[in-house]
Amino acid sequence: MGKRVAIIGAGVSGLASIRACLEEGLQPTCFERSDGIGGLWKYSDHEEEGRASIYQSVFTNSCKEMMCFPDFPYPDDYPNYMHNTEVQKYLNMFAQKKNLLKYIQFETMVTSIKKHANFSVTGQWDIVTEKNGNQESSVFDAVLICSGHHVYPNLPLDSFSGLEKFQGNYIHSREYKGPEGFKGKKVLVIGLGNSASDIAVELSHTASQVFISTRSGSWIMSRVWEDGYPWDMVYITRFRNFLWNCLPNFVSDWLYVKRMNSRFKHENYGLTPSNGSLRKEPVFNDELPARIICGAISIKPDIREFTETSVVFQDGTEFGPIDLVIFATGYGYAYPFLDDSIIKSRNNEVTLYKGIFPPPLEKPTMAVIGLVQSLGAAIPTTDLQARWAAKVIAGSCALPSFSEMMDDIDEKMGKKLKWFGQSQTLQTDYITYMDEIASFIGTKPNILWLFLTDPKLAVEVYFGPCSPYQFRLTGPGKWDGARNAILTQWDRTVKPTRTRIICGAQRPQPFFHLLKILSLSVLFLAFLLMY
């Protein structure tokens, strides 16, 4: 009989973990405190304690071909970028198709996870759950934590001078649900991430004035790229990733900035990152530039201080009287049911091997799924994480020693700080990370072998988008439909937009586009050598 595995949360990570456990012959039991699956994508018109919360108008920033489970494409007629209700329907379809619902205990909250008395020998955990006011204690052989990191809002009130005397209202973006009730109001949004941009744009259609205060700026990108194709299908390719990693850092930095500025002239509107890493992750919003240029939204620098009715910015300008301040200042990560020392094993920082395994444990029977953030989509990332974690728990994969894991964490942290900046330590490069995890479980695509045995597929895998199907092509968990899914991914991309055919659609040519980028870098190097 397989080991008993407790899974905390039935969102994207939880569903991926249930399926991964079943594939490895384990016995999963998933505890979900709400009445349904979906996690972040399960919209509610009110906040629920201990659960992620989104606003009604949320759309995805990753397209359907790049954010599906690797063996379960979205329906052909789904739009490329989906409303949260469509993602929720997809997750329900996946759970039903894979027969996952019977492993979930709904409206059940996990209140405590502690090491069993003989943990050093068995690796078991004592788990206390609560349902309808009744508590129950059980022993599990392993635990997969899938509760996400959009639950506990970061509200840095102490960082804003004079806020204690401000007479207006303020909320965290977690509390925002829609623009109703904001007509004619003056609103200040603090932050320039995806939520801040979405909320500011939505409010700019009803509020009388909307200001965005940003400390360091952001790259603002469109979901729609060359020839109308989704940004991530054009941008996230293996060839581009290989080229980027081969170029000297100063050249790739220059090309990155040039590429970002080619999409939108940020410097005219105060959006360009002004400090930290210029390679910080972009924000996706198709309407923000238009709202700025029309004067519906104003971009301002960091806040110097609050007064009773207004705010003074670092450039000396003042905005007021303010009706509402929205802190779009992100989230912290916390696991109130678990001893902090297990996850935050050093300097009160989350220290996880490959963003998954706590190194100090005597037995590798706990994993955190879905905590890392990458430029790619969360669904395929969590799917691969869960597959690896399930194999480690089942005993078919082994982890290195404690010292080796800590050395790897230190090395990766240094690279992240250099690339993404101090505030983005959960960020990671998508393709590099996915390939690394896939190599541990034997599912990383062998590009050279593909070119020798299936050139048509190899060209699509290497020069086309690094879509999730690639990680079910070979090895454990191989999906027979992966090859066809890769070769037909562009057809599914154009399907929802092709209501009438006026000419043949021209597919992106990433190889030739990247050759142009390489030529630019060579010319740039030649110029430097000349002078």
Side-chain angles (χ1 to χ4, degrees):
M1 185 175 293
K3 295 179 180 179
R4 298 184 65 216
V5 182
I7 298 171
I8 317 304
V12 166
S13 302
L15 296 177
S17 296
I18 298 172
R19 196 265 290 269
C21 286
L22 294 174
E23 288 181 326
E24 293 301 316
L26 304 172
Q27 296 185 62
T29 300
C30 180
F31 300 107
E32 168 57 45
R33 66 184 298 162
S34 74
D35 59 359
I37 66 170
L40 177 68
W41 296 104
K42 184 178 182 293
Y43 172 76
S44 173
D45 58 6
H46 61 278
E47 289 181 88
E48 297 179 29
E49 185 181 355
R51 289 194 64 250
S53 178
I54 57 174
Y55 36 97
Q56 196 277 332
S57 59
V58 166
F59 282 80
T60 65
N61 292 325
S62 296
C63 72
K64 65 178 182 180
E65 289 303 305
M66 300 294 283
M67 69 170 292
C68 62
F69 284 100
D71 58 344
F72 196 74
Y74 284 85
D76 290 2
D77 58 351
Y78 264 46
N80 285 310
Y81 294 99
M82 298 157 288
H83 188 256
N84 61 82
T85 54
E86 290 165 317
V87 179
Q88 178 68 2
K89 288 178 184 177
Y90 169 79
L91 295 177
N92 276 293
M93 287 189 290
F94 175 78
Q96 291 171 6
K97 177 71 174 180
K98 303 299 181 181
N99 198 23
L100 306 181
L101 296 177
K102 66 180 182 179
Y103 299 98
I104 305 174
Q105 296 185 16
F106 292 106
E107 298 181 320
T108 304
M109 182 174 66
V110 174
T111 60
S112 172
I113 299 178
K114 294 181 179 180
K115 292 180 179 179
H116 193 54
N118 58 349
F119 178 85
S120 60
V121 177
T122 65
Q124 291 180 323
W125 299 87
D126 293 323
I127 298 182
V128 178
T129 58
E130 183 177 317
K131 182 174 184 177
N132 298 326
N134 300 316
Q135 287 195 341
E136 181 178 340
S137 181
S138 305
V139 177
F140 285 86
D141 298 302
V143 178
L144 297 178
I145 299 175
C146 306
S147 53
H149 57 275
H150 293 93
V151 177
Y152 302 99
N154 174 39
L155 200 58
L157 303 182
D158 294 339
S159 301
F160 295 92
S161 176
L163 185 60
E164 69 281 355
K165 60 185 177 184
F166 177 62
Q167 297 178 355
N169 296 320
Y170 61 82
I171 62 172
H172 189 270
S173 57
R174 169 183 168 81
E175 301 174 57
Y176 177 83
K177 292 297 178 180
E180 299 80 11
F182 290 91
K183 186 174 183 179
K185 304 291 186 180
K186 294 182 179 180
V187 182
L188 170 65
V189 179
I190 299 177
L192 191 56
N194 287 302
S195 295
S197 301
D198 286 349
I199 292 171
V201 164
E202 188 167 65
L203 288 179
S204 70
H205 292 279
T206 55
S208 63
Q209 277 186 295
V210 177
F211 279 68
I212 294 177
S213 170
T214 172
R215 180 174 53 190
S216 58
S218 288
W219 300 111
I220 308 299
M221 308 293 285
S222 172
R223 294 178 176 88
V224 183
W225 272 39
E226 281 81 1
D227 301 315
Y229 286 100
W231 76 269
D232 39 355
M233 292 192 74
V234 177
Y235 187 85
I236 303 179
T237 70
R238 291 184 175 279
F239 180 56
R240 181 189 295 272
N241 193 67
F242 170 77
L243 179 62
W244 232 247
N245 289 331
C246 286
L247 291 174
N249 284 338
F250 72 94
V251 176
S252 56
D253 281 344
W254 175 74
L255 288 173
Y256 183 86
V257 173
K258 184 180 185 301
R259 181 62 173 164
M260 292 300 187
N261 274 325
S262 72
R263 304 302 302 175
F264 177 59
K265 296 298 183 182
H266 313 86
E267 64 271 15
N268 294 336
Y269 308 106
L271 294 175
T272 303
S274 57
N275 57 41
S277 172
L278 286 178
R279 294 192 191 188
K280 70 181 298 183
E281 292 302 291
V283 169
F284 292 93
N285 194 290
D286 304 288
E287 198 178 351
L288 180 60
R291 302 306 291 169
I292 294 172
I293 204 171
C294 292
I297 295 175
S298 297
I299 303 295
K300 301 298 291 182
D302 200 7
I303 294 170
R304 179 186 298 172
E305 64 175 337
F306 280 90
T307 69
E308 292 183 352
T309 59
S310 62
V311 61
V312 181
F313 299 103
Q314 290 292 350
D315 61 1
T317 58
E318 186 171 352
F319 170 44
I322 302 174
D323 296 301
L324 178 69
V325 178
I326 299 178
F327 286 87
T329 45
Y331 293 83
Y333 28 87
Y335 305 100
F337 45 76
L338 186 67
D339 188 335
D340 271 357
S341 64
I342 295 175
I343 302 295
K344 299 180 180 180
S345 58
R346 184 182 58 188
N347 299 329
N348 202 36
E349 296 176 348
V350 171
T351 47
L352 299 172
Y353 178 60
K354 306 302 181 186
I356 303 174
F357 297 100
L361 295 179
E362 303 97 308
K363 298 288 184 178
T365 57
M366 174 176 284
V368 180
I369 308 299
L371 184 59
V372 301
Q373 291 178 286
S374 69
L375 189 56
I379 291 179
T381 305
T382 58
D383 183 74
L384 208 51
Q385 287 182 322
R387 291 166 67 188
W388 184 30
K391 286 185 174 297
V392 170
I393 292 168
S396 57
C397 284
L399 296 181
S401 66
F402 171 77
S403 60
E404 290 174 310
M405 287 192 283
M406 293 306 297
D407 288 344
D408 183 83
I409 290 171
D410 290 337
E411 179 187 356
K412 294 294 192 300
M413 185 61 69
K415 291 180 179 179
K416 288 178 183 180
L417 291 173
K418 181 179 180 181
W419 182 282
F420 299 110
Q422 183 65 42
S423 63
Q424 302 292 330
T425 54
L426 292 181
Q427 296 284 5
T428 189
D429 178 75
Y430 177 73
I431 296 178
T432 302
Y433 182 75
M434 294 287 281
D435 278 352
E436 188 174 30
I437 302 302
S439 66
F440 294 139
I441 60 178
T443 60
K444 178 183 176 181
N446 188 326
I447 304 299
L448 179 59
W449 180 250
L450 281 179
F451 271 110
L452 293 173
T453 59
D454 195 340
K456 181 179 181 181
L457 178 63
V459 169
E460 194 65 34
V461 168
Y462 192 62
F463 295 108
C466 184
S467 47
Y469 319 116
Q470 296 186 16
F471 301 100
R472 290 272 179 178
L473 266 175
T474 59
K478 176 183 176 181
W479 175 45
D480 291 338
R483 182 183 188 274
N484 183 64
I486 292 171
L487 295 178
T488 57
Q489 57 194 352
W490 293 108
D491 298 330
R492 287 188 299 278
T493 301
V494 300
K495 174 71 179 293
T497 60
R498 187 170 289 184
T499 55
R500 61 190 180 100
I501 300 176
I502 56 175
C503 64
Q506 182 177 354
R507 285 174 49 173
Q509 301 293 329
F511 176 73
F512 296 106
H513 178 69
L514 290 166
L515 278 182
K516 288 193 294 183
I517 293 178
L518 182 59
S519 299
L520 279 173
S521 66
V522 171
L523 288 173
F524 181 69
L525 284 172
F527 176 80
L528 290 178
L529 291 173
M530 287 175 61
Y531 293 94

